[in-house]
Amino acid sequence: MNLDHIIQERIDEHLQVVGLLKNDSKFLTNLSEISNVITECFKSGGKLLICGNGGSAADSQHLATELVSRFFLERKALDAEALTVNTSTLTAVANDYSFDKVFSRQLEAKGKEGDVLLAISTSGNSKNVIEAIKAAKSIGIKTIGFAGNNRDSLICKMSDYYVSIPSNSTPRIQEAHILLGHIICEIVERYLFEKGGCLILPSKTERNHQLATGRS
């Protein structure tokens, strides 16, 4: 097994996916629109609800945290919640109803018109994520779908806005999803707080350590 070859190949795959996105004008327009939708949601007093399974559950929690805590700016917390974190709710709904309902049931409880749902699925066909989109639409919640290379998936077809990653590799799709999530977090934060927020910069000690260790 040639480890250097595997490492280089995976990095090349990642760069290829990112390159395809960078040069896709429709994707850039979609991401701009999605960022605006989320920004307007927060401006109007709404919240962002996020759901997904497995690695996408981790992404849901990651992105919610970036908005509740902070990204680049010292600013007011934003109301974002991952529907993946309450294990009592997840197991109760899965047991009493079915696993397909673990997100939609929470949307019935927490969601209101003016909120936004970010639904993440690498396959684009996760049943509980599809049920969440259905529930969101019944309430009047705008829906955003993050999927893999499957524009014909139900999540892409049902969502008000969607992004389809041009890859069939789950790790590459997940890497792209978190990249897009980070871009959205930055845009939202800058739209809402750049004038009134304080940019978080590393201290001189932190910066010297980053330079010494090759981290930035």
Side-chain angles (χ1 to χ4, degrees), residues 31-152:
L31 197 63
S32 296
E33 290 178 348
I34 287 168
S35 300
N36 287 332
V37 166
I38 296 173
T39 300
E40 291 303 315
C41 166
F42 286 133
K43 285 174 68 175
S44 301
K47 61 181 172 294
L48 178 65
L49 299 167
I50 316 175
C51 66
N53 297 287
S56 298
D59 288 346
S60 300
Q61 293 160 211
H62 182 156
L63 295 175
T65 298
E66 302 287 22
L67 294 166
V68 172
S69 182
R70 70 185 185 200
F71 199 62
F72 283 124
L73 297 177
E74 187 63 56
R75 40 76 174 174
K76 178 183 175 182
L78 294 170
D79 193 356
E81 181 177 352
L83 301 177
T84 56
V85 297
N86 189 324
T87 55
S88 294
T89 297
L90 293 172
T91 53
V93 174
N95 184 63
D96 295 345
Y97 298 92
S98 76
F99 192 67
D100 293 352
K101 300 291 185 182
V102 293
F103 301 138
S104 59
R105 189 69 174 171
Q106 293 184 74
L107 275 164
E108 291 177 26
K110 302 171 185 290
K112 68 179 189 303
E113 188 173 358
D115 292 341
V116 172
L117 172 69
L118 173 56
I120 309 175
S121 170
T122 56
S123 69
N125 290 307
S126 300
K127 290 182 179 180
N128 54 8
V129 178
I130 291 168
E131 290 299 317
I133 294 172
K134 289 179 182 178
K137 286 183 168 295
S138 72
I139 298 168
I141 294 173
K142 290 183 179 178
T143 55
I144 298 165
F146 275 15
N149 192 25
N150 188 1
R151 295 185 180 185
D152 293 326

